[in-house]
Amino acid sequence: MGSAAFNFDNSYARDLEGFYVPWKGAEVPAPKMVRFNRELAGELGLDANALDTDAGAAIFAGHSSPEGASPLAMAYAGHQFGGFSPQLGDGRALLLGEVIDRDGIRRDIHLKGSGRTPFSRGGDGKAVLGPVLREYIIGEAMHAFGVPSTRALAAVTTGEQIMRQNGMEPGAVLARVASSHLRVGTFQFFAARGETDRLRQLADYAITRHYPELAQKNDRYIGLLTAVRDRQAELIVKWMHLGFVHGVMNTDNMTISGETIDYGPCAFIDDYDPAAVFSSIDSQGRYAYGNQPKIAQWNLARLAETLLDLINPDDSDGAVAQASEVINGFPEVYEQAWISGMRAKLGLSGQEEQDIELATGLLAVMETQAADFTRVFRSLSSAIEGDAPETRALFANPTGFDMWLAQWRARLERDPMPESERRAAMDRSNPVYIPRNHLVEAALSDATDGDLSTFERLMQVLSDPFTPRPGFDVYALGAPGDFGPYTTYCGT
């Protein structure tokens, strides 16, 4: 394919030699486009007509490389479930290259499932269709929710059959887009080797790419840590407000940019439960829904450890003190972002100290009643006045909710937002539709059997998750009683 389809400017390959291994994707027998994101292609300034083809499928499978690409496997380390692995890296993925989008923003194009690399550690380097489409669904839904996230550009099948826990499944590759794939684990890789010069090079690259306002500051490295902390706090808050469980918050899955990455064993809660875990490998609940803020802070502490020699190379105690102050500030930054978002979900424009108790009070009632998280919040806009039958019906015993409702209505009377604006404002913060786990599973099962219609209808619903639409009522409901305990897998 000619250069017209892409306009690459590959700064990672150009500026960070030694931080990766140049590599090519595996040849595959019959690459075929399953879904191409034309809207995203337009944002990236790509030639959608040229890429939504068999030739484009070959590129996004890793089978062939377009002119100007610099495919490479990125090196990184990481703490996985608390245990440190000094070398992980792209074991089944490639950074194809970078493009400058129509807003002048640099974006990675990254392939997941494109075959073995020097970092594969015995794995086959492949992906199968179900996990590829799961990441497509969740990533695009997160984008529609306004959550910083990698996005799906293309999903392709390879013509292979790959062995996984359910037997042979269709091989597939996801082409995803991010503002970068720099991770906490990227810094850990070089810190573990004592390569301070490369750490400095990496930190300066990250600053230039994501936090250019810090580039000329003498304290830019503590500034980098602070900026990443703040973005991650805001990101985790958005997860919590949607009931999203990432499932595998290892340090190699925490980005420096503040985007959500690697939708493996992820899910959304139906009934509110802080202990909710959906990952087949998280037997101890380390990455449970309610633990995600604490894990984010823990991961940021690991980033801080890698930056100490840069923050203050002449005074290690001083560097630790500076970094500790930043990390110890995470709970306050998180709480401020959390209550700000909760006020929006509850229809509050003003601020009162008791708002935290009001918000946590509702969650406590929901937990004791196993109430549907998304439906309760969405229905609140219809409960501003009157008997609130829609919301009360979501509680087996609404007594506790009725008590909370009286407190909330009293608070609304003191709030400055005009009543004429409140309901619409709440509905902009509380989605009607989320990727319900049973609906995602149905879409993936049908797609694996060759029927993409269920997947396409779900994508249509999630493209506008805040607007109720006729004919889509079933997509707003929780799982049926016979759906049972839900378990997800990482796809390897």
Side-chain angles (χ1 to χ4, degrees), residues 4-64:
F6 292 91
N7 183 20
F8 285 113
D9 181 35
N10 303 319
S11 66
Y12 196 92
R14 181 175 63 244
D15 299 341
L16 295 177
E17 185 176 354
F19 291 66
Y20 59 86
V21 177
W23 205 252
K24 292 184 177 180
E27 294 184 3
V28 297
K32 179 182 178 181
M33 190 70 71
V34 175
R35 197 174 203 270
F36 184 71
N37 192 335
R38 283 180 165 262
E39 176 191 358
L40 178 56
E43 292 178 18
L44 299 174
L46 303 181
D47 186 340
N49 291 330
L51 291 172
D52 193 5
T53 60
D54 290 344
I59 289 172
F60 294 129
H63 180 86
S64 62

Short mmCIF file of all heavy atoms in Angstrom, two decimals, residues 4-64:
data_model
loop_
_atom_site.label_atom_id
_atom_site.label_comp_id
_atom_site.label_asym_id
_atom_site.label_seq_id
_atom_site.Cartn_x
_atom_site.Cartn_y
_atom_site.Cartn_z
N ALA A 4 -0.09 7.07 0.73
CA ALA A 4 -1.26 7.94 0.84
C ALA A 4 -2.15 7.57 2.02
O ALA A 4 -2.85 8.41 2.58
CB ALA A 4 -2.08 7.87 -0.46
N ALA A 5 -2.14 6.29 2.43
CA ALA A 5 -3.04 5.86 3.49
C ALA A 5 -2.59 6.34 4.86
O ALA A 5 -3.40 6.51 5.76
CB ALA A 5 -3.17 4.33 3.47
N PHE A 6 -1.29 6.52 5.05
CA PHE A 6 -0.74 6.91 6.35
C PHE A 6 0.22 8.08 6.17
O PHE A 6 0.82 8.25 5.11
CB PHE A 6 0.04 5.75 6.98
CG PHE A 6 -0.80 4.58 7.39
CD1 PHE A 6 -1.00 3.54 6.50
CD2 PHE A 6 -1.36 4.51 8.65
CE1 PHE A 6 -1.76 2.43 6.87
CE2 PHE A 6 -2.12 3.41 9.03
CZ PHE A 6 -2.32 2.37 8.13
N ASN A 7 0.36 8.84 7.25
CA ASN A 7 1.39 9.87 7.28
C ASN A 7 2.14 9.70 8.60
O ASN A 7 1.86 10.36 9.60
CB ASN A 7 0.76 11.26 7.19
CG ASN A 7 1.80 12.37 7.15
OD1 ASN A 7 2.96 12.12 6.83
ND2 ASN A 7 1.40 13.57 7.49
N PHE A 8 3.10 8.77 8.60
CA PHE A 8 3.79 8.40 9.84
C PHE A 8 4.84 9.44 10.24
O PHE A 8 5.50 10.05 9.40
CB PHE A 8 4.49 7.05 9.66
CG PHE A 8 3.57 5.87 9.66
CD1 PHE A 8 3.39 5.11 8.52
CD2 PHE A 8 2.89 5.50 10.81
CE1 PHE A 8 2.55 4.01 8.52
CE2 PHE A 8 2.05 4.41 10.83
CZ PHE A 8 1.88 3.65 9.68
N ASP A 9 4.97 9.60 11.56
CA ASP A 9 6.06 10.37 12.15
C ASP A 9 6.44 9.66 13.44
O ASP A 9 5.88 9.93 14.50
CB ASP A 9 5.64 11.82 12.42
CG ASP A 9 6.78 12.64 13.01
OD1 ASP A 9 7.95 12.40 12.62
OD2 ASP A 9 6.52 13.49 13.87
N ASN A 10 7.37 8.72 13.37
CA ASN A 10 7.59 7.73 14.41
C ASN A 10 8.65 8.17 15.41
O ASN A 10 9.81 7.75 15.36
CB ASN A 10 7.96 6.40 13.76
CG ASN A 10 6.90 5.93 12.78
OD1 ASN A 10 5.71 6.04 13.05
ND2 ASN A 10 7.32 5.42 11.63
N SER A 11 8.23 9.00 16.36
CA SER A 11 9.18 9.57 17.30
C SER A 11 9.75 8.53 18.26
O SER A 11 10.91 8.63 18.66
CB SER A 11 8.52 10.71 18.09
OG SER A 11 7.50 10.21 18.94
N TYR A 12 8.95 7.54 18.65
CA TYR A 12 9.45 6.53 19.60
C TYR A 12 10.61 5.75 18.96
O TYR A 12 11.66 5.57 19.58
CB TYR A 12 8.32 5.58 19.99
CG TYR A 12 8.63 4.75 21.22
CD1 TYR A 12 8.26 5.20 22.48
CD2 TYR A 12 9.29 3.53 21.13
CE1 TYR A 12 8.53 4.46 23.62
CE2 TYR A 12 9.56 2.78 22.26
CZ TYR A 12 9.19 3.24 23.51
OH TYR A 12 9.48 2.50 24.63
N ALA A 13 10.42 5.34 17.72
CA ALA A 13 11.49 4.61 17.02
C ALA A 13 12.69 5.51 16.76
O ALA A 13 13.84 5.08 16.85
CB ALA A 13 10.96 4.06 15.70
N ARG A 14 12.43 6.77 16.49
CA ARG A 14 13.50 7.70 16.11
C ARG A 14 14.29 8.18 17.32
O ARG A 14 15.53 8.28 17.26
CB ARG A 14 12.87 8.90 15.39
CG ARG A 14 13.86 9.95 14.91
CD ARG A 14 13.15 11.02 14.10
NE ARG A 14 12.18 11.79 14.88
CZ ARG A 14 10.87 11.80 14.63
NH1 ARG A 14 10.36 11.08 13.64
NH2 ARG A 14 10.05 12.54 15.37
N ASP A 15 13.59 8.46 18.43
CA ASP A 15 14.22 9.13 19.56
C ASP A 15 14.64 8.21 20.69
O ASP A 15 15.40 8.62 21.57
CB ASP A 15 13.28 10.20 20.13
CG ASP A 15 12.92 11.27 19.12
OD1 ASP A 15 13.66 11.41 18.13
OD2 ASP A 15 11.90 11.96 19.34
N LEU A 16 14.13 6.97 20.70
CA LEU A 16 14.37 6.09 21.85
C LEU A 16 14.99 4.76 21.41
O LEU A 16 14.55 3.69 21.84
CB LEU A 16 13.06 5.86 22.60
CG LEU A 16 12.45 7.09 23.27
CD1 LEU A 16 11.11 6.74 23.92
CD2 LEU A 16 13.39 7.69 24.31
N GLU A 17 16.00 4.82 20.62
CA GLU A 17 16.69 3.59 20.22
C GLU A 17 17.21 2.88 21.46
O GLU A 17 17.77 3.49 22.37
CB GLU A 17 17.85 3.92 19.28
CG GLU A 17 18.54 2.69 18.71
CD GLU A 17 19.62 3.03 17.69
OE1 GLU A 17 19.75 4.23 17.34
OE2 GLU A 17 20.33 2.11 17.27
N GLY A 18 17.02 1.58 21.51
CA GLY A 18 17.40 0.81 22.68
C GLY A 18 16.26 0.59 23.66
O GLY A 18 16.41 -0.16 24.63
N PHE A 19 15.12 1.20 23.39
CA PHE A 19 13.95 1.05 24.24
C PHE A 19 12.96 0.04 23.65
O PHE A 19 11.86 -0.12 24.15
CB PHE A 19 13.24 2.39 24.41
CG PHE A 19 14.01 3.39 25.24
CD1 PHE A 19 15.20 3.93 24.78
CD2 PHE A 19 13.52 3.81 26.47
CE1 PHE A 19 15.91 4.85 25.53
CE2 PHE A 19 14.22 4.74 27.22
CZ PHE A 19 15.42 5.25 26.76
N TYR A 20 13.36 -0.64 22.60
CA TYR A 20 12.46 -1.52 21.86
C TYR A 20 13.28 -2.47 21.00
O TYR A 20 14.51 -2.31 20.87
CB TYR A 20 11.52 -0.71 20.98
CG TYR A 20 12.24 0.17 19.98
CD1 TYR A 20 12.65 -0.32 18.73
CD2 TYR A 20 12.55 1.50 20.28
CE1 TYR A 20 13.33 0.47 17.82
CE2 TYR A 20 13.24 2.30 19.37
CZ TYR A 20 13.63 1.78 18.15
OH TYR A 20 14.32 2.57 17.26
N VAL A 21 12.58 -3.41 20.39
CA VAL A 21 13.19 -4.31 19.41
C VAL A 21 12.44 -4.13 18.10
O VAL A 21 11.22 -4.36 18.06
CB VAL A 21 13.11 -5.78 19.86
CG1 VAL A 21 13.70 -6.70 18.79
CG2 VAL A 21 13.83 -5.98 21.18
N PRO A 22 13.10 -3.73 17.01
CA PRO A 22 12.40 -3.68 15.72
C PRO A 22 11.87 -5.08 15.39
O PRO A 22 12.59 -6.07 15.53
CB PRO A 22 13.50 -3.25 14.74
CG PRO A 22 14.55 -2.60 15.58
CD PRO A 22 14.52 -3.32 16.89
N TRP A 23 10.64 -5.14 14.94
CA TRP A 23 10.03 -6.45 14.74
C TRP A 23 8.91 -6.36 13.72
O TRP A 23 8.40 -5.27 13.44
CB TRP A 23 9.49 -7.00 16.06
CG TRP A 23 9.41 -8.49 16.11
CD1 TRP A 23 8.29 -9.26 16.06
CD2 TRP A 23 10.51 -9.39 16.23
NE1 TRP A 23 8.62 -10.58 16.15
CE2 TRP A 23 9.96 -10.70 16.25
CE3 TRP A 23 11.89 -9.22 16.32
CZ2 TRP A 23 10.77 -11.84 16.36
CZ3 TRP A 23 12.70 -10.34 16.43
CH2 TRP A 23 12.15 -11.63 16.45
N LYS A 24 8.54 -7.47 13.15
CA LYS A 24 7.43 -7.53 12.21
C LYS A 24 6.41 -8.52 12.71
O LYS A 24 6.74 -9.48 13.40
CB LYS A 24 7.92 -7.93 10.82
CG LYS A 24 8.78 -6.88 10.13
CD LYS A 24 9.14 -7.30 8.72
CE LYS A 24 9.95 -6.22 8.02
NZ LYS A 24 10.30 -6.61 6.63
N GLY A 25 5.17 -8.30 12.32
CA GLY A 25 4.11 -9.23 12.68
C GLY A 25 4.26 -10.54 11.93
O GLY A 25 4.95 -10.63 10.91
N ALA A 26 3.58 -11.54 12.45
CA ALA A 26 3.61 -12.86 11.82
C ALA A 26 2.78 -12.86 10.54
O ALA A 26 1.75 -12.18 10.45
CB ALA A 26 3.08 -13.91 12.79
N GLU A 27 3.23 -13.61 9.57
CA GLU A 27 2.41 -13.81 8.37
C GLU A 27 1.22 -14.69 8.73
O GLU A 27 1.35 -15.63 9.52
CB GLU A 27 3.24 -14.45 7.26
CG GLU A 27 4.36 -13.56 6.74
CD GLU A 27 5.10 -14.17 5.56
OE1 GLU A 27 4.70 -15.28 5.13
OE2 GLU A 27 6.06 -13.55 5.08
N VAL A 28 0.07 -14.37 8.19
CA VAL A 28 -1.14 -15.12 8.49
C VAL A 28 -1.80 -15.54 7.19
O VAL A 28 -1.60 -14.90 6.15
CB VAL A 28 -2.11 -14.30 9.36
CG1 VAL A 28 -1.48 -13.98 10.71
CG2 VAL A 28 -2.52 -13.00 8.66
N PRO A 29 -2.59 -16.62 7.21
CA PRO A 29 -3.06 -17.18 5.94
C PRO A 29 -4.12 -16.37 5.22
O PRO A 29 -4.12 -16.32 3.98
CB PRO A 29 -3.62 -18.56 6.35
CG PRO A 29 -3.88 -18.46 7.82
CD PRO A 29 -2.86 -17.51 8.36
N ALA A 30 -5.05 -15.73 5.97
CA ALA A 30 -6.17 -15.08 5.28
C ALA A 30 -6.72 -13.92 6.10
O ALA A 30 -7.80 -14.01 6.70
CB ALA A 30 -7.28 -16.10 5.00
N PRO A 31 -5.98 -12.80 6.16
CA PRO A 31 -6.49 -11.67 6.94
C PRO A 31 -7.78 -11.11 6.34
O PRO A 31 -7.88 -10.93 5.13
CB PRO A 31 -5.35 -10.66 6.87
CG PRO A 31 -4.54 -11.04 5.67
CD PRO A 31 -4.68 -12.52 5.53
N LYS A 32 -8.75 -10.84 7.21
CA LYS A 32 -10.05 -10.34 6.76
C LYS A 32 -10.55 -9.28 7.73
O LYS A 32 -10.52 -9.46 8.94
CB LYS A 32 -11.05 -11.50 6.69
CG LYS A 32 -12.45 -11.09 6.25
CD LYS A 32 -13.40 -12.28 6.24
CE LYS A 32 -14.81 -11.87 5.85
NZ LYS A 32 -15.75 -13.02 5.87
N MET A 33 -11.02 -8.17 7.20
CA MET A 33 -11.55 -7.10 8.02
C MET A 33 -12.88 -7.51 8.64
O MET A 33 -13.80 -7.94 7.94
CB MET A 33 -11.74 -5.82 7.19
CG MET A 33 -12.07 -4.59 8.01
SD MET A 33 -10.67 -4.02 9.00
CE MET A 33 -9.58 -3.38 7.70
N VAL A 34 -12.97 -7.40 9.95
CA VAL A 34 -14.22 -7.68 10.67
C VAL A 34 -14.98 -6.38 10.91
O VAL A 34 -16.17 -6.27 10.67
CB VAL A 34 -13.95 -8.39 12.00
CG1 VAL A 34 -15.24 -8.57 12.81
CG2 VAL A 34 -13.29 -9.74 11.76
N ARG A 35 -14.26 -5.37 11.42
CA ARG A 35 -14.87 -4.06 11.61
C ARG A 35 -13.81 -2.98 11.53
O ARG A 35 -12.74 -3.11 12.13
CB ARG A 35 -15.58 -3.96 12.96
CG ARG A 35 -16.57 -2.79 13.03
CD ARG A 35 -17.35 -2.84 14.34
NE ARG A 35 -18.62 -2.13 14.25
CZ ARG A 35 -18.79 -0.83 14.53
NH1 ARG A 35 -17.74 -0.11 14.91
NH2 ARG A 35 -19.97 -0.27 14.45
N PHE A 36 -14.08 -1.95 10.78
CA PHE A 36 -13.17 -0.83 10.61
C PHE A 36 -13.85 0.43 11.11
O PHE A 36 -15.01 0.71 10.77
CB PHE A 36 -12.76 -0.67 9.15
CG PHE A 36 -11.74 0.41 8.93
CD1 PHE A 36 -10.43 0.25 9.35
CD2 PHE A 36 -12.08 1.60 8.30
CE1 PHE A 36 -9.48 1.24 9.16
CE2 PHE A 36 -11.14 2.59 8.09
CZ PHE A 36 -9.84 2.42 8.52
N ASN A 37 -13.14 1.20 11.93
CA ASN A 37 -13.70 2.40 12.55
C ASN A 37 -13.43 3.60 11.66
O ASN A 37 -12.42 4.29 11.79
CB ASN A 37 -13.06 2.58 13.93
CG ASN A 37 -13.77 3.62 14.77
OD1 ASN A 37 -14.42 4.52 14.26
ND2 ASN A 37 -13.64 3.50 16.09
N ARG A 38 -14.35 3.86 10.78
CA ARG A 38 -14.16 4.94 9.81
C ARG A 38 -14.15 6.31 10.49
O ARG A 38 -13.44 7.21 10.05
CB ARG A 38 -15.24 4.88 8.73
CG ARG A 38 -14.98 3.79 7.70
CD ARG A 38 -16.05 3.73 6.62
NE ARG A 38 -15.59 2.94 5.48
CZ ARG A 38 -15.09 3.45 4.37
NH1 ARG A 38 -14.99 4.77 4.24
NH2 ARG A 38 -14.68 2.66 3.40
N GLU A 39 -14.96 6.47 11.52
CA GLU A 39 -14.98 7.75 12.24
C GLU A 39 -13.60 8.05 12.83
O GLU A 39 -13.07 9.16 12.68
CB GLU A 39 -16.01 7.71 13.35
CG GLU A 39 -16.03 8.96 14.22
CD GLU A 39 -16.86 8.79 15.48
OE1 GLU A 39 -17.45 7.72 15.67
OE2 GLU A 39 -16.88 9.74 16.28
N LEU A 40 -13.00 7.06 13.49
CA LEU A 40 -11.68 7.26 14.07
C LEU A 40 -10.64 7.46 12.99
O LEU A 40 -9.73 8.31 13.13
CB LEU A 40 -11.31 6.06 14.95
CG LEU A 40 -9.93 6.09 15.61
CD1 LEU A 40 -9.73 7.35 16.45
CD2 LEU A 40 -9.73 4.84 16.46
N ALA A 41 -10.74 6.72 11.90
CA ALA A 41 -9.81 6.90 10.79
C ALA A 41 -9.84 8.34 10.29
O ALA A 41 -8.79 8.93 9.99
CB ALA A 41 -10.14 5.92 9.67
N GLY A 42 -11.04 8.91 10.22
CA GLY A 42 -11.15 10.29 9.79
C GLY A 42 -10.46 11.24 10.75
O GLY A 42 -9.79 12.19 10.32
N GLU A 43 -10.61 11.00 12.07
CA GLU A 43 -9.92 11.84 13.05
C GLU A 43 -8.41 11.77 12.89
O GLU A 43 -7.70 12.75 13.13
CB GLU A 43 -10.30 11.39 14.46
CG GLU A 43 -11.75 11.65 14.85
CD GLU A 43 -12.05 11.13 16.24
OE1 GLU A 43 -11.10 10.89 17.01
OE2 GLU A 43 -13.24 10.95 16.55
N LEU A 44 -7.93 10.60 12.51
CA LEU A 44 -6.49 10.40 12.37
C LEU A 44 -5.95 10.90 11.04
O LEU A 44 -4.74 10.87 10.82
CB LEU A 44 -6.16 8.91 12.53
CG LEU A 44 -6.52 8.28 13.87
CD1 LEU A 44 -6.26 6.78 13.83
CD2 LEU A 44 -5.72 8.92 15.00
N GLY A 45 -6.83 11.32 10.16
CA GLY A 45 -6.40 11.76 8.84
C GLY A 45 -6.00 10.61 7.94
O GLY A 45 -5.20 10.80 7.00
N LEU A 46 -6.55 9.42 8.18
CA LEU A 46 -6.21 8.25 7.38
C LEU A 46 -7.18 8.10 6.21
O LEU A 46 -8.31 8.57 6.25
CB LEU A 46 -6.26 6.98 8.23
CG LEU A 46 -5.37 6.96 9.48
CD1 LEU A 46 -5.51 5.62 10.20
CD2 LEU A 46 -3.91 7.22 9.10
N ASP A 47 -6.73 7.39 5.20
CA ASP A 47 -7.54 7.13 4.01
C ASP A 47 -8.39 5.91 4.28
O ASP A 47 -7.97 4.77 4.08
CB ASP A 47 -6.61 6.90 2.82
CG ASP A 47 -7.38 6.77 1.50
OD1 ASP A 47 -8.59 6.48 1.54
OD2 ASP A 47 -6.75 6.92 0.43
N ALA A 48 -9.61 6.13 4.74
CA ALA A 48 -10.48 5.02 5.13
C ALA A 48 -10.80 4.11 3.95
O ALA A 48 -10.87 2.89 4.10
CB ALA A 48 -11.76 5.56 5.75
N ASN A 49 -11.00 4.68 2.78
CA ASN A 49 -11.33 3.85 1.62
C ASN A 49 -10.20 2.91 1.26
O ASN A 49 -10.43 1.78 0.83
CB ASN A 49 -11.69 4.74 0.42
CG ASN A 49 -13.00 5.48 0.61
OD1 ASN A 49 -13.91 4.99 1.29
ND2 ASN A 49 -13.10 6.66 0.04
N ALA A 50 -8.97 3.36 1.45
CA ALA A 50 -7.83 2.50 1.16
C ALA A 50 -7.60 1.44 2.21
O ALA A 50 -7.11 0.35 1.92
CB ALA A 50 -6.56 3.35 1.00
N LEU A 51 -8.00 1.74 3.45
CA LEU A 51 -7.70 0.83 4.55
C LEU A 51 -8.82 -0.15 4.86
O LEU A 51 -8.56 -1.22 5.43
CB LEU A 51 -7.38 1.65 5.81
CG LEU A 51 -6.07 2.44 5.75
CD1 LEU A 51 -5.95 3.37 6.96
CD2 LEU A 51 -4.88 1.50 5.70
N ASP A 52 -10.05 0.18 4.53
CA ASP A 52 -11.17 -0.73 4.77
C ASP A 52 -11.26 -1.72 3.61
O ASP A 52 -12.27 -1.81 2.91
CB ASP A 52 -12.46 0.06 4.93
CG ASP A 52 -13.60 -0.77 5.47
OD1 ASP A 52 -13.37 -1.96 5.82
OD2 ASP A 52 -14.73 -0.26 5.56
N THR A 53 -10.19 -2.46 3.44
CA THR A 53 -10.01 -3.35 2.29
C THR A 53 -9.23 -4.59 2.74
O THR A 53 -8.77 -4.67 3.88
CB THR A 53 -9.20 -2.65 1.19
OG1 THR A 53 -7.92 -2.29 1.73
CG2 THR A 53 -9.91 -1.39 0.69
N ASP A 54 -9.03 -5.51 1.82
CA ASP A 54 -8.19 -6.68 2.11
C ASP A 54 -6.75 -6.25 2.39
O ASP A 54 -6.08 -6.82 3.26
CB ASP A 54 -8.22 -7.66 0.94
CG ASP A 54 -9.57 -8.36 0.81
OD1 ASP A 54 -10.35 -8.33 1.77
OD2 ASP A 54 -9.83 -8.93 -0.28
N ALA A 55 -6.28 -5.24 1.66
CA ALA A 55 -4.92 -4.76 1.90
C ALA A 55 -4.81 -4.13 3.28
O ALA A 55 -3.80 -4.31 3.98
CB ALA A 55 -4.53 -3.74 0.82
N GLY A 56 -5.84 -3.41 3.69
CA GLY A 56 -5.85 -2.84 5.03
C GLY A 56 -5.90 -3.91 6.10
O GLY A 56 -5.24 -3.81 7.14
N ALA A 57 -6.66 -4.97 5.85
CA ALA A 57 -6.73 -6.08 6.80
C ALA A 57 -5.36 -6.72 6.98
O ALA A 57 -4.97 -7.08 8.10
CB ALA A 57 -7.74 -7.12 6.32
N ALA A 58 -4.60 -6.84 5.90
CA ALA A 58 -3.25 -7.42 6.00
C ALA A 58 -2.34 -6.54 6.85
O ALA A 58 -1.53 -7.04 7.63
CB ALA A 58 -2.67 -7.60 4.60
N ILE A 59 -2.50 -5.22 6.74
CA ILE A 59 -1.70 -4.30 7.56
C ILE A 59 -2.09 -4.44 9.02
O ILE A 59 -1.23 -4.58 9.90
CB ILE A 59 -1.91 -2.85 7.08
CG1 ILE A 59 -1.24 -2.63 5.73
CG2 ILE A 59 -1.37 -1.86 8.12
CD1 ILE A 59 -1.56 -1.29 5.11
N PHE A 60 -3.37 -4.43 9.31
CA PHE A 60 -3.82 -4.44 10.69
C PHE A 60 -3.71 -5.82 11.34
O PHE A 60 -3.83 -5.95 12.56
CB PHE A 60 -5.24 -3.89 10.79
CG PHE A 60 -5.34 -2.45 10.42
CD1 PHE A 60 -6.27 -2.00 9.49
CD2 PHE A 60 -4.48 -1.51 10.97
CE1 PHE A 60 -6.36 -0.67 9.14
CE2 PHE A 60 -4.55 -0.17 10.63
CZ PHE A 60 -5.50 0.26 9.71
N ALA A 61 -3.44 -6.83 10.54
CA ALA A 61 -3.12 -8.14 11.10
C ALA A 61 -1.63 -8.26 11.42
O ALA A 61 -1.21 -9.23 12.04
CB ALA A 61 -3.53 -9.24 10.13
N GLY A 62 -0.84 -7.28 10.97
CA GLY A 62 0.60 -7.37 11.12
C GLY A 62 1.26 -8.15 10.01
O GLY A 62 2.48 -8.34 10.01
N HIS A 63 0.48 -8.63 9.06
CA HIS A 63 0.98 -9.46 7.97
C HIS A 63 1.88 -8.67 7.03
O HIS A 63 2.86 -9.19 6.50
CB HIS A 63 -0.22 -10.05 7.21
CG HIS A 63 0.12 -10.92 6.06
ND1 HIS A 63 0.38 -12.27 6.20
CD2 HIS A 63 0.25 -10.65 4.73
CE1 HIS A 63 0.65 -12.80 5.02
NE2 HIS A 63 0.57 -11.83 4.11
N SER A 64 1.55 -7.41 6.82
CA SER A 64 2.36 -6.54 5.95
C SER A 64 2.48 -5.17 6.60
O SER A 64 1.65 -4.79 7.43
CB SER A 64 1.74 -6.42 4.55
OG SER A 64 0.45 -5.83 4.62
#
